[in-house]
């Protein structure tokens, strides 16, 4: 699987295998597998920065699900870095969204708000209704945490209307 990383279908196989490893309790093996995938991409003449970004995002998800939120934030930041290099707007928004979620989980609410706001700008540019709704809802949740309930409700109702 790893040697055929250059196409989208092979990328999906890599992530499916990593997911399977994680699901059966082999989190370290899943992380190692994704590290190998990232290394192969780095050494490829047809390097795919989007694929590297997606692999870092997946690694971050595994860390988050395991409760290692600071490691998850680091992986989301790595994902963002490679998404920017790839100039892949959709992946940039995904990385910002995951970064926002991780910031909120560890209590960095202002950073979370900034990350979700950055994702929102991109999603609005492409009129991605589903992700716009998610971004706005997440922003509302931050205002709820801050006990700014009127502002939170404003975002929740806006998210609901879009959804």
């Amino acid at each position: 699987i790893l040697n055929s990383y250059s196409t989208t279908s092979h990328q999906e196989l890599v992530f499916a295998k990593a997911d399977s490893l994680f699901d059966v309790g082999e989190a370290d093996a899943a992380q190692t597998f994704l590290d190998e995938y990232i290394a192969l991409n780095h050494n490829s003449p047809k390097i795919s920065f989007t694929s590297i970004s997606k692999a870092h995002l997946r690694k971050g998800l595994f860390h988050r699900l395991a409760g290692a939120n600071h490691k998850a934030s680091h992986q989301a930041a790595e994902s963002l870095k490679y998404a920017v290099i790839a100039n892949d707007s959709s992946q940039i928004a995904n990385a910002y969204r995951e970064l926002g979620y991780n910031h909120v989980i560890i209590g960095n609410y202002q950073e979370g708000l900034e990350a979700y706001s950055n994702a929102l700008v991109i999603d609005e540019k492409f009129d991605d209704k589903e992700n716009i709704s998610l971004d706005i809802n997440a922003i509302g949740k931050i205002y709820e945490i801050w006990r700014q309930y009127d502002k939170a409700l404003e975002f929740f109702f806006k998210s609901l209307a879009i959804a």
Side-chain angles (χ1 to χ4, degrees), residues 2-97:
L2 285 176
N3 291 328
S4 304
Y5 60 88
S6 60
T7 65
T8 301
S9 61
H10 287 105
Q11 176 183 287
E12 290 170 5
L13 287 173
V14 166
F15 293 146
K17 174 157 175 118
D19 290 346
S20 294
L21 287 167
F22 185 82
D23 290 344
V24 298
E26 297 291 332
D28 289 342
Q31 294 285 358
T32 299
F33 186 71
L34 289 171
D35 286 337
E36 291 171 6
Y37 177 70
I38 291 167
L40 279 171
N41 250 293
H42 272 292
N43 295 324
S44 168
K46 295 180 181 179
I47 189 168
S48 171
F49 292 112
T50 295
S51 293
I52 293 170
S53 174
K54 288 179 180 181
H56 279 291
L57 208 58
R58 186 64 54 96
K59 285 182 65 177
L61 173 64
F62 293 161
H63 283 305
R64 181 166 50 87
L65 292 173
N69 297 311
H70 288 285
K71 288 181 180 179
S73 289
H74 173 74
Q75 289 301 319
E78 285 294 298
S79 176
L80 178 59
K81 177 176 80 175
Y82 287 105
V84 168
I85 292 169
N87 198 29
D88 184 330
S89 297
S90 175
Q91 189 61 23
I92 292 170
N94 288 336
Y96 271 129
R97 205 171 296 104

Side-chain angles (χ1 to χ4, degrees), residues 69-131:
N69 297 311
H70 288 285
K71 288 181 180 179
S73 289
H74 173 74
Q75 289 301 319
E78 285 294 298
S79 176
L80 178 59
K81 177 176 80 175
Y82 287 105
V84 168
I85 292 169
N87 198 29
D88 184 330
S89 297
S90 175
Q91 189 61 23
I92 292 170
N94 288 336
Y96 271 129
R97 205 171 296 104
E98 187 66 17
L99 194 57
Y101 185 87
N102 285 304
H103 278 306
V104 170
I105 291 296
I106 60 177
N108 295 336
Y109 303 119
Q110 186 61 46
E111 291 88 345
L113 177 62
E114 290 169 14
Y116 279 119
S117 296
N118 287 332
L120 179 60
V121 167
I122 295 166
D123 293 331
E124 286 178 335
K125 181 179 175 185
F126 293 100
D127 199 31
D128 183 343
K129 300 281 190 213
E130 181 178 349
N131 283 323

